Amino acid sequence: DLQDQEYLAARFARAIELLENDDLEPALDALREVHHSRTLRIAAGFLSGELDASTAGYALSLLADAALSVALTMAQMQLRDDLGSVVAPGEGLPLAVLAYGKLASRELGYGADLDIVMIYDDTRVLANSEGGEKAVPVEMYFARLCQKLVFLLTTTTSAGKLYEIDMRLRPSGQSGLLVTSVKSFRK
C-alpha cells in the first residue's frame, strides 16, 4: 500500500540509525533511497493505471510528510550535542511545519518543491537551550534547527536530492526568519 505511513516510518528508521552512529552522509543517502524508491513505485502505479493522478498526488504528499518528519528528527539529533534542547526531557518539540501549495492540498507532483513555513509555540519552551555544550536563546535554537532541516532536505548526495524548499511564503517575507513564534505569527 503506497499510503502506509507505518511502513514508511520503518524504512526511514534506517537513516536515523545511521545518524545515531554519526554517519551523516550514509544517513542522508538512506533517506533519499527510501524516498526515491517510493516515488518510483508511485510513478509505476500511475503509469500502469493502478493509480489515478489524484491518488498518486496524495501518496507523494504522504511521502513528503514522512520525509519531513524524519528530517526534523535528524536535525534535532544533530543539534543535541552542541545546543541541547529547548523542551523538558520527554516533552515533544512544539514546532509546526505548515504546508502550502500542492503539498497542503495533497496534490504533490513528481519533482515538486515543498512550500513550507515553520512556527514554534513560544509558550511551551525554555527561554534558552539546555543540555548542550552551549546555551542559546530559544529563537536562535529554532533558527538553527530550521536551517539544519532545510540543509538535510536540499543537500545533494551520491543518492541525489530529496526536495527543493520554497520558503518565500514566510510570515516576514522572503528575507525574513526561517521560523517564527506563534506570538510573532499572530502579529
Side-chain angles (χ1 to χ4, degrees):
D1 179 14
L2 295 175
Q3 298 174 15
D4 185 352
Q5 293 299 90
E6 288 179 23
Y7 172 81
L8 275 177
R11 294 282 316 275
F12 279 132
R14 177 72 179 133
I16 292 172
E17 286 174 25
L18 289 166
L19 189 58
E20 285 173 348
N21 296 323
D22 291 326
D23 292 331
L24 178 60
E25 190 163 338
L28 291 176
D29 285 344
L31 185 63
R32 281 147 180 73
E33 287 164 6
V34 171
H35 174 270
H36 298 336
S37 137
R38 181 51 67 104
T39 300
L40 184 60
R41 286 189 59 212
I42 293 167
F46 177 70
L47 291 173
S48 72
E50 182 183 329
L51 301 175
D52 62 17
S54 176
T55 305
Y58 186 74
L60 289 168
S61 298
L62 291 178
L63 175 60
D65 286 348
L68 276 166
S69 178
V70 170
L72 181 57
T73 298
M74 292 170 72
Q76 285 179 267
M77 291 170 65
Q78 285 206 288
L79 291 183
R80 187 175 35 219
D81 290 341
D82 189 28
L83 302 181
S85 181
V86 292
V87 293
E91 293 289 320
L93 189 68
L95 176 73
V97 179
L98 305 178
Y100 287 90
K102 296 291 185 182
L103 179 57
S105 64
R106 299 298 194 215
E107 302 170 324
L108 203 61
Y110 305 99
D113 66 352
L114 303 181
D115 299 316
I116 58 174
V117 171
M118 294 177 255
I119 301 173
Y120 66 94
D121 184 349
D122 47 344
T123 65
R124 297 181 39 217
V125 292
L126 306 170
N128 295 301
S129 65
E130 294 180 356
E133 290 181 20
K134 58 185 167 190
V136 296
V138 68
E139 299 84 8
M140 183 178 288
Y141 175 87
F142 278 106
R144 293 270 312 274
L145 178 68
C146 292
Q147 286 171 342
K148 186 66 71 177
L149 174 64
V150 170
F151 169 81
L152 294 173
L153 292 169
T154 61
T155 297
T156 302
T157 71
S158 60
K161 186 176 244 180
L162 204 55
Y163 290 105
E164 288 290 334
I165 304 295
D166 187 349
M167 300 285 295
R168 292 179 293 178
L169 300 172
R170 294 178 257 193
S172 26
Q174 184 172 352
S175 59
L177 299 172
L178 290 175
V179 62
T180 188
S181 69
V182 170
K183 188 184 314 176
S184 295
F185 186 72
R186 284 187 180 133
K187 286 181 187 176

